[in-house]
Amino acid sequence: METKSTTRVLTLMDSVGLSQVKFAEKCGIRPSNFNRALKSEKGISSQYLLRIAHAFNVNFEWLRNGIGDMFAEEKAIGKAQFAAFNQMLDANSSPVSQNVISGDNYQGTQTINATEGKIAALEQKIEAQTQLLAEKDKLIARQEQEIEFLRGLVNKQQQK
């Protein structure tokens, strides 16, 4: 059974043109775990959705709830400027790419500069949430081990 968030993840995968394996690797998710998440009746976990949103700079609310646009930046600065900005980042801020952004797309540059602080803050929040979710997973695993240990003790007592 495919959930709505799973459908949006598949739409994003199609949009970026990556295989399931490459998509998962870019998000820092094991491909086998990602495959299981895609097939899960519960849908993809919030932790995975956060990783996906961060890896592809996607609007998390769109990914999780279908609210807003897939790429918030496209709405703010336009597709051409968004593409030029990504080219600049990919080219490690080469002077040619900087001229594309700062020359013909001055207004787009202003928008990018105005949102840089917000993006950095969101990235920090995502990282903090990812760490908290990882700690939660460790605690759950530890509790499951303790439960299994206690079950073993109970079984030994019942056998006596």
Side-chain angles (χ1 to χ4, degrees):
M1 178 179 158
E2 196 172 284
T3 65
K4 291 181 180 181
S5 62
T6 301
T7 300
R8 286 186 289 276
V9 169
L10 293 171
T11 299
L12 174 62
M13 283 174 54
D14 186 51
S15 174
V16 297
L18 291 178
S19 69
Q20 186 174 315
V21 171
K22 294 288 184 192
F23 187 89
E25 288 172 348
K26 182 167 171 100
C27 298
I29 302 170
R30 285 190 181 139
S32 59
N33 292 345
F34 184 64
N35 186 39
R36 274 195 296 277
L38 286 173
K39 293 178 180 178
S40 168
E41 288 185 18
K42 295 179 184 177
I44 299 174
S45 71
S46 291
Q47 181 180 7
Y48 280 5
L49 291 176
L50 279 171
R51 287 182 180 194
I52 293 166
H54 182 69
F56 293 97
N57 207 16
V58 173
N59 178 352
F60 178 73
E61 283 301 313
W62 173 83
L63 199 55
R64 185 174 62 178
N65 301 315
I67 298 171
D69 295 328
M70 183 188 307
F71 296 104
E73 290 80 1
E74 284 186 1
K75 185 176 180 183
I77 63 175
K79 288 184 180 182
Q81 290 142 336
F82 182 69
F85 181 67
N86 278 335
Q87 286 175 349
M88 180 189 78
L89 291 177
D90 290 343
N92 295 321
S93 301
S94 72
V96 172
S97 296
Q98 287 176 1
N99 287 339
V100 169
I101 293 292
S102 62
D104 295 333
N105 299 312
Y106 179 72
Q107 187 174 3
T109 302
Q110 287 179 320
T111 305
I112 291 167
N113 290 339
T115 59
E116 260 182 359
K118 291 179 183 178
I119 291 170
L122 287 172
E123 287 175 344
Q124 289 174 350
K125 274 180 131 176
I126 289 169
E127 182 62 31
Q129 287 176 342
T130 301
Q131 288 175 357
L132 287 173
L133 289 169
E135 288 178 33
K136 181 189 95 178
D137 289 343
K138 287 178 187 176
L139 286 172
I140 290 170
R142 193 175 313 131
Q143 288 174 343
E144 288 173 348
Q145 288 174 343
E146 290 173 4
I147 289 169
E148 286 303 314
F149 175 75
L150 292 173
R151 282 185 182 146
L153 289 176
V154 168
N155 285 339
K156 284 182 183 179
Q157 287 296 326
Q158 288 175 347
Q159 290 174 356
K160 287 183 178 181

